[in-house]
Amino acid sequence: MSSYFLKYSRTTARSDVMLVYDKEKKKLHNALKSINRTSFITNIWKSKNQRISYMLVTGHYVDSNWKLQKRVLSFLHLSPPHTATEIVDTFYKSLNEWGLENKVFTLSVDNASNNDRAIKLLKDNFRVRKKLFFGGRIFYIRCCAHILNLMVKDGIKSIDFVVKKIRDTISYLNASEGRLLRFADVVHQLHLSTRKLIMDSPTRWNSTYNMLNVALKLRDEFISYSERDLTYHNYPTEEEWSNIEKVWTYIVVFSLHFKVLYGLCFRLGSA
């Protein structure tokens, strides 16, 4: 290590980070004072390692220069059980922290039953205080990306058994270096372009799309490999491959629309 390199303790590093955080938070507080209305998006997810649930609150607003801004406002622990009341209370913590309880314009959440009840509680609360535009008719904006996600996942269920075969195949090959080398030999012998096997995340349909996309391109390799490895039993039948192709043609369309929607959201948030 260079003698010119200054070493910092983790305590100093933490202190420096918190100073920057407090400085930026104060700047955002001041900026939000001049904002009339803010649209919010909440996301609830659970940490696999900690097994703790969190709520992420993001605010979208138009600044004094008429530029659309997006800021992560809060990252809060969501106590179990995830009742509508708990969701509302946690969301209010964020509003109160930033002084935005009277500046709510719209709210977008996932299409979960608890969220539906939370929206009703919030709408009733804001309506009594007469803080919503148009009597709250435009308060709740459903998450288009989540709706799209539910539609595609429902379609994938029709070939769930075949998708499991693909997952099991990839797990089987990845479990042994010898199998991967044998599979690579098959690819080389067939003079096919090398493609990395992709394992999907069952909760993310776009990753399942990527997995099936690669699997369809490796169809011939799987056939040849099954002839060389007698312990491999997860190879899809011709009918199952046909079903994958049919569903995949629809998923392609959804994937294109998802990219457009995601790109639009990204541009709006980064404007």
Side-chain angles (χ1 to χ4, degrees):
M1 183 180 292
S2 172
S3 59
Y4 295 101
F5 180 79
L6 298 177
K7 293 187 290 184
Y8 291 92
S9 68
R10 62 181 180 181
T11 302
T12 301
R14 182 182 185 279
S15 177
D16 289 345
V17 169
M18 292 307 298
L19 284 174
V20 173
Y21 170 78
D22 290 336
K23 179 181 177 181
E24 293 300 318
K25 185 175 182 179
K26 186 176 181 180
K27 285 170 57 177
L28 183 56
H29 253 298
N30 292 331
L32 292 175
K33 288 179 181 178
S34 61
I35 303 303
N36 290 324
R37 293 285 171 171
T38 304
S39 292
F40 297 90
I41 296 176
T42 66
N43 289 293
I44 298 173
W45 58 278
K46 178 181 286 186
S47 168
K48 290 184 178 180
N49 295 328
Q50 296 176 306
R51 300 185 183 278
I52 297 175
S53 295
Y54 297 95
M55 175 187 286
L56 178 69
V57 180
T58 308
H60 298 254
Y61 60 92
V62 178
D63 65 17
S64 57
N65 295 317
W66 285 92
K67 290 186 177 181
L68 187 60
Q69 302 288 346
K70 178 181 73 172
R71 296 291 185 274
V72 173
L73 300 176
S74 303
F75 190 79
L76 303 167
H77 172 231
L78 183 65
S79 302
H82 302 161
T83 62
T85 303
E86 183 62 33
I87 292 172
V88 169
D89 290 345
T90 305
F91 180 61
Y92 260 111
K93 287 180 184 178
S94 179
L95 294 181
N96 293 330
E97 179 184 6
W98 293 96
L100 297 172
E101 57 272 18
N102 294 322
K103 297 183 178 182
V104 177
F105 184 41
T106 64
L107 176 62
S108 294
V109 299
D110 288 343
N111 300 287
S113 57
N114 284 352
N115 279 334
D116 289 340
R117 289 191 288 272
I119 287 291
K120 185 180 184 305
L121 291 175
L122 284 168
K123 185 183 289 187
D124 291 343
N125 189 317
F126 288 128
R127 188 182 289 149
V128 169
R129 295 158 57 190
K130 297 182 179 179
K131 296 298 182 181
L132 294 179
F133 283 117
F134 307 111
R137 289 193 298 274
I138 62 171
F139 169 64
Y140 179 25
I141 307 296
R142 291 187 178 273
C143 179
C144 295
H146 189 249
I147 293 173
L148 189 64
N149 184 52
L150 293 175
M151 292 170 64
V152 177
K153 287 174 70 175
D154 193 55
I156 291 176
K157 282 183 181 179
S158 64
I159 57 168
D160 196 47
F161 178 74
V162 191
V163 172
K164 184 179 184 302
K165 277 191 172 184
I166 300 297
R167 290 193 188 112
D168 290 344
T169 293
I170 296 172
S171 296
Y172 176 79
L173 293 173
N174 286 336
S176 167
E177 183 179 358
R179 294 170 191 161
L180 286 174
L181 290 174
R182 194 180 307 166
F183 188 76
D185 288 340
V186 171
V187 174
H188 179 71
Q189 290 174 18
L190 294 177
H191 302 288
L192 299 170
S193 58
T194 303
R195 297 182 180 89
K196 184 178 180 180
L197 295 171
I198 297 177
M199 175 63 79
D200 74 330
S201 171
T203 59
R204 296 181 179 273
W205 70 265
N206 51 327
S207 70
T208 303
Y209 160 77
N210 291 330
M211 181 184 73
L212 295 179
N213 184 29
V214 172
L216 285 169
K217 293 175 181 177
L218 292 172
R219 180 174 177 173
D220 291 336
E221 284 99 320
F222 289 144
I223 294 174
S224 296
Y225 182 82
S226 65
E227 296 170 351
R228 291 167 171 77
D229 186 348
L230 299 180
T231 61
Y232 170 50
H233 304 297
N234 290 315
Y235 176 72
T237 64
E238 287 299 320
E239 182 181 357
E240 289 171 339
W241 278 117
S242 177
N243 289 334
I244 291 176
E245 288 178 331
K246 290 176 182 177
V247 173
W248 186 81
T249 56
Y250 290 102
I251 299 178
V252 170
V253 178
F254 280 103
S255 178
L256 293 173
H257 282 78
F258 179 79
K259 289 178 181 178
V260 171
L261 180 62
Y262 180 82
L264 177 62
C265 292
F266 180 81
R267 289 195 297 275
L268 288 174
S270 305

